[in-house]
Amino acid sequence: MFFAPQNLANITGRGTSGAGGTSAPFAPMLFAVDALRVLAEEIGPRPPCSEAESRAASWCAERLGELGYIVDVEHFSARRDANGWFAAYLTLSCAGALLLVPLPLVAAVLGASALVLFARDIEGRPILRPRGAVSRNVVARPDGNTQPRAVLMAHIDSGKSLPLAHPSFAGLARPSAVALNAALIVVPFMASVAWIAEVDRELPDRLWIPSGIIAAYLAMMIGVRIHAALRAPFVAGANDNASGVEVLMRVAAGRPENVWFVLTGASEAGMLGVRAFLHAHDSDVGDALFINVNAVGAGTLTVASEEGVLWPRDAHGPLVDAAEKAGAVASSWQISPTDATALLAGRFRAASLLRTDERGLLPHRHRSTDVTTNIDERALEDTAAAVSRILIAAPTTERVP
């Protein structure tokens, strides 16, 4: 689907060029462009690959076309939810823990398979390619532009209301992620050691104790994933991530030079939109800087200095430096993956901008309270201004192969 550009001056009240026809310094629109209200209120919950996600993509594409960009809506194969897939990976690891004493070699194979499948999928690079549903990305670029110096991204879909996202469990977010990572790593390691030891002697019965504890924990996490897949409702997603879309639109209205704007679908199903975008445009954006805007409707502006749930990866240093100069606080983000996680796993130069509360979490994320009344307009204005300063200040160099 293609949207032709319209006259920007009629939309923003200003032209795109300064004196003599050269590009004028841009500034974001500090007033609302209505993306927050339309996505979170008129459309509401936007599950990956749903009709609501499609409506959101169409609205964003039309709006960007009105702002003067060449816009494409690019469809790709995806899945509606990732929880069932992760439940399957954890089931393999749980089976490995249960078979650790009687069949250590089988346990090692199951545990190693689970670890690899989980590690790839949690970074947006699933080994088993998701199919069965269709999502879409919105890609907006200046007329005549081929290779951008920067790409600003935000995802348009919304997630589910999850028990572990409740404030009562806020302190368990990072410890839970660490415990799950440890369990996934320990199972194949213990099984390999047990298999080697079994060659010379019988394994001690007390080995059942740690393997049983790990299996019980993994069974609990499988239950959490199955509940999320079958019972958890989708939320309006005002902060996560209609706020990011709103900021992207405000920056786009300022017409920054040589910048692409990408709204990804199926991010809540495993960052599948960003992978589809890279598959379609790798030769165009290989040397670009990527700024991912995620959940910026309330809290302290934060730039993720590193991110990744299982294997943390450093964000692009110059982007982090530019974000700090623009007023963001640099901090590690290892609680949940973002679109930038997939970019960093592919060695692209990326960083995420987030807003976190006093506990270091994203306010109202994956909760029924993620509605527009809990969005701070000043936070949106400040984030749009910070992104604009980052785009001006961040240096561009060739990507490390």
Side-chain angles (χ1 to χ4, degrees):
M1 188 180 300
F2 170 80
F3 292 83
Q6 300 180 23
N7 189 344
L8 178 67
N10 294 334
I11 304 297
T12 64
R14 61 180 180 271
T16 59
S17 299
T22 59
S23 297
F26 80 96
M29 293 176 70
L30 297 184
F31 54 87
V33 293
D34 225 21
L36 177 67
R37 183 188 63 81
V38 171
L39 267 63
E41 294 182 1
E42 286 190 11
I43 298 176
R46 304 172 300 283
C49 307
S50 66
E51 190 273 338
E53 184 197 61
S54 177
R55 286 173 56 201
S58 296
W59 185 90
C60 292
E62 186 172 353
R63 185 73 175 116
L64 287 164
E66 291 172 352
L67 292 174
Y69 293 92
I70 302 295
V71 185
D72 292 301
V73 178
E74 301 175 349
H75 296 76
F76 59 93
S77 297
R79 60 192 175 196
R80 300 183 185 278
D81 187 61
N83 285 290
W85 291 63
F86 282 102
Y89 305 153
L90 298 181
T91 299
L92 289 177
S93 187
C94 184
L98 293 172
L99 294 174
L100 198 148
V101 174
L103 297 170
L105 178 57
V106 175
V109 172
L110 290 174
S113 299
L115 178 60
V116 172
L117 289 167
F118 181 92
R120 287 291 300 268
D121 210 334
I122 204 70
E123 289 190 331
R125 302 183 298 160
I127 292 178
L128 303 175
R129 184 176 179 182
R131 294 182 181 275
V134 176
S135 184
R136 65 282 299 159
N137 292 329
V138 178
V139 180
R141 63 190 189 278
D143 190 11
N145 176 261
T146 54
Q147 294 185 321
R149 65 180 179 88
V151 178
L152 187 61
M153 309 188 79
H155 72 85
I156 56 177
D157 56 323
S158 62
K160 292 184 171 184
S161 177
L162 302 177
L164 290 179
H166 192 275
S168 302
F169 302 108
L172 299 178
R174 183 55 189 158
S176 176
V178 171
L180 183 59
N181 293 345
L184 288 166
I185 294 171
V186 165
V187 169
F189 176 78
M190 285 182 59
S192 300
V193 172
W195 175 54
I196 295 171
E198 188 186 34
V199 175
D200 298 324
R201 58 186 180 276
E202 185 176 349
L203 295 175
D205 290 339
R206 61 178 177 273
L207 195 58
W208 278 108
I209 297 175
S211 65
I213 293 174
I214 294 173
Y217 172 73
L218 288 170
M220 180 181 69
M221 298 309 295
I222 292 168
V224 170
R225 288 287 186 174
I226 291 176
H227 174 272
L230 301 179
R231 301 294 300 275
F234 284 92
V235 301
N239 189 38
D240 185 18
N241 188 40
S243 67
V245 176
E246 174 75 25
V247 167
L248 180 146
M249 291 287 192
R250 294 187 187 192
V251 176
R255 300 289 292 178
E257 184 179 359
N258 204 17
V259 176
W260 285 21
F261 297 89
V262 179
L263 296 159
T264 58
S267 179
E268 295 286 354
M271 298 87 72
L272 301 179
V274 68
R275 298 304 304 179
F277 171 76
L278 294 177
H279 179 74
H281 298 282
D282 182 43
S283 60
D284 297 324
V285 302
D287 292 327
L289 300 174
F290 287 84
I291 303 173
N292 176 50
V293 185
N294 191 53
V296 291
T300 301
L301 184 61
T302 302
V303 57
S305 56
E306 63 173 1
E307 59 179 278
V309 175
L310 190 59
W311 314 120
R313 300 176 186 273
D314 290 336
H316 184 55
L319 269 180
V320 174
D321 293 341
E324 287 186 288
K325 292 177 181 177
V329 177
S331 179
S332 175
W333 180 256
Q334 300 178 45
I335 294 176
S336 59
T338 74
D339 279 352
T341 305
L343 290 164
L344 294 172
R347 295 184 177 274
F348 288 87
R349 300 177 302 148
S352 286
L353 281 179
L354 319 160
R355 282 190 177 269
T356 56
D357 59 21
E358 64 279 0
R359 300 161 298 181
L361 304 177
L362 304 180
H364 306 287
R365 178 180 181 267
H366 288 185
R367 292 168 53 194
S368 60
T369 56
D370 193 5
V371 293
T372 55
T373 53
N374 288 321
I375 298 299
D376 180 1
E377 169 60 27
R378 181 63 180 272
L380 299 177
E381 293 179 4
D382 290 349
T383 303
V387 171
S388 300
R389 291 194 292 270
I390 294 169
L391 288 173
I392 293 172
T396 56
T397 56
E398 292 186 1
R399 177 175 49 148
V400 177

